[in-house]
């Protein structure tokens, strides 16, 4: 029996992707006690499947015991984990709802009989879903130096590209450059979200290489009205997709103000970019341009995507169109705030949008 009473430092992994990258699917390589510190049950499911698969490959008899934080489960776990079974050479304990499960061992709720240390036989492995954003040091100290863990935190912008590439390698898929930029821009920056969405692509389309159309078909399709999507279609001057997306708009549920706010934000960027391009392109560094555009904190991939987009749009929208858009925004803002987003307001909005897509319907004006 291995005692895990003398705690040092918990062996940690950066996130789920890092854990999968460094761990082989064999019993010998899997941590004896692993805390999956995540509020996302998907990440715990991935690790659970990994452990179960490793046990299936083992030649020895084994038993898997699952605890779900019901009354008496903690006491049963203590009894079973400390006693060897003559019929099962190996045991895996899977503990769900770890915050509730271990509550009697911690802090103000600690019971008088809570252990200061907990010994685990070397034939036993324990997998815990600690459904929280952090892992208490007090709990780590009870299990000692055999504890490993990873936390499901947001991935920082400067590490998202690397995390994406490692996730792609784990799932064995490849995205082209345009699809990769869109993925990094729109998918929540967490290890679980990266893996889940890449797995979804592979499962739904039955292939390993994907482009932007694949992502939009599988990941970003929605029956709900999307203000951000319709803004993209507007600046791409794609009337077909713009009008199809607008058919999802529900009066009383969706808001024109959200769309108009996003439209103004991007219009501001486009106006500033056109000034930079015209007067300061050879003077300002990329960092200085990024700061002026308010995208300095973007990841390199997203920043590159934004610059490419603005470059295309600067050719597609002339100064007069931009001026007219600002006038339209002021007009719509006044209409909505002095009235409401009623049917006639929404109809007026869409008719004005048609005019922007089809300038031949407007009075010809020159700069």
């Amino acid at each position: 029996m291995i005692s895990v009473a003398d705690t040092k430092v918990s062996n940690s992994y950066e996130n789920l992707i890092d854990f999968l990258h460094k761990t082989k699917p064999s019993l010998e390589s899997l941590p004896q006690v692993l805390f999956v510190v995540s509020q996302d049950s998907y990440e715990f499911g991935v690790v659970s499947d990994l452990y179960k698969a490793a046990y299936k490959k083992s030649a020895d008899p084994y038993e898997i015991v699952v605890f779900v934080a019901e009354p008496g489960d903690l006491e049963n776990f203590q009894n079973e984990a400390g006693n060897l079974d003559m019929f099962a050479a190996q045991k895996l304990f899977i503990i769900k709802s770890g915050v509730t499960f271990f509550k009697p061992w911690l802090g103000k709720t600690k019971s008088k009989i809570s252990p200061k240390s907990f010994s685990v036989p070397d034939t036993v492995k324990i997998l815990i879903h600690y459904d929280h954003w952090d892992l208490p040091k007090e709990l780590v100290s009870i299990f000692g130096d055999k504890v490993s863990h990873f936390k499901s935190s947001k991935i920082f912008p400067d590490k998202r590209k690397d995390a994406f590439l490692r996730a792609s390698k784990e799932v064995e898929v490849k995205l082209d450059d345009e699809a990769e930029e869109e993925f990094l821009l729109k998918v929540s920056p967490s290890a679980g979200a990266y893996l889940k969405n890449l797995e979804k692509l592979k499962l739904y389309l039955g292939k390993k290489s994907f482009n932007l159309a694949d992502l939009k078909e599988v990941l970003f399709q929605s029956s709900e009205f999307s203000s951000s999507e319709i803004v993209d279609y507007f600046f791409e001057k794609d009337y077909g997709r713009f009008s199809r997306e607008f058919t999802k708009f529900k009066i009383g549920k969706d808001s024109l103000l959200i769309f108009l706010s996003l439209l103004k934000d991007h219009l501001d960027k486009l106006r500033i970019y056109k000034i930079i391009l015209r007067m300061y392109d050879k003077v300002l560094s990329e960092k200085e341009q990024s700061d002026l555009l308010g995208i300095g904190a973007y990841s390199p991939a997203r920043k590159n995507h934004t610059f490419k987009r603005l470059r295309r749009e600067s050719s597609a929208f002339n100064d007069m169109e931009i001026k007219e858009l600002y006038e339209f925004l002021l007009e719509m803002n006044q209409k909505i705030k002095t009235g409401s987003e009623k049917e006639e307001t929404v109809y007026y909005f869409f008719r004005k949008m048609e005019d922007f897509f089809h300038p031949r319907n407007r009075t010809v004006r020159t700069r």
Side-chain angles (χ1 to χ4, degrees), residues 47 68 72 80 92 106 136 166 174 191 214 253 261-262 331 359:
V47 181
V68 291
E80 290 201 40
L92 170 64
L106 304 172
R166 292 173 78 178
K174 183 173 177 56
D214 294 327
K253 176 188 174 186
S261 176
L262 292 174
E331 181 187 11

Side-chain angles (χ1 to χ4, degrees), residues 8-171:
K8 296 282 195 323
V9 178
S10 172
N11 299 311
S12 66
Y13 300 90
E14 189 175 348
N15 51 39
L16 173 60
I17 299 171
D18 187 47
F19 172 78
L20 294 174
H21 180 71
K22 294 177 179 176
T23 308
K24 295 178 181 178
S26 64
L27 283 181
E28 296 76 21
S29 72
L30 294 174
Q32 187 173 10
V33 181
L34 178 67
F35 282 87
V36 178
V37 186
S38 171
Q39 293 172 301
D40 183 353
S41 59
Y42 169 81
E43 298 200 11
F44 183 67
V46 170
V47 181
S48 296
D49 289 344
L50 185 68
Y51 269 76
K52 290 173 184 176
Y55 273 89
K56 284 181 181 179
K57 292 177 182 177
S58 172
D60 296 322
Y62 67 90
E63 181 181 8
I64 297 176
V65 185
V66 180
F67 295 104
V68 291
E70 291 181 349
D73 270 0
L74 181 56
E75 292 77 11
N76 291 335
F77 162 71
Q78 288 178 267
N79 290 332
E80 290 201 40
N83 294 302
L84 298 175
D85 192 324
M86 63 184 294
F87 298 107
Q90 303 279 347
K91 268 192 177 183
L92 170 64
F93 292 95
I94 297 177
I95 298 171
K96 300 180 179 181
S97 304
V99 172
T100 303
F101 188 87
F102 290 110
K103 198 172 182 181
W105 283 9
L106 304 172
K108 296 178 181 179
T109 58
K110 184 190 297 185
S111 68
K112 293 180 180 178
I113 58 171
S114 63
K116 291 184 178 179
S117 63
F118 192 76
S119 296
V120 182
D122 56 6
T123 55
V124 166
K125 291 188 186 294
I126 304 170
L127 177 61
I128 303 129
H129 182 197
Y130 202 78
D131 45 334
H132 197 261
W133 58 271
D134 201 7
L135 181 62
K137 291 180 181 178
E138 186 180 6
L139 187 54
V140 172
S141 69
I142 291 173
F143 283 97
D145 61 2
K146 293 297 178 182
V147 171
S148 296
H149 78 276
F150 67 80
K151 298 178 184 179
S152 178
S153 54
K154 292 290 183 185
I155 302 170
F156 290 114
D158 61 332
K159 296 194 173 179
R160 286 173 190 168
K161 170 85 172 193
D162 180 60
F164 165 78
L165 293 174
R166 292 173 78 178
S168 299
K169 186 176 181 181
E170 288 297 331
V171 183

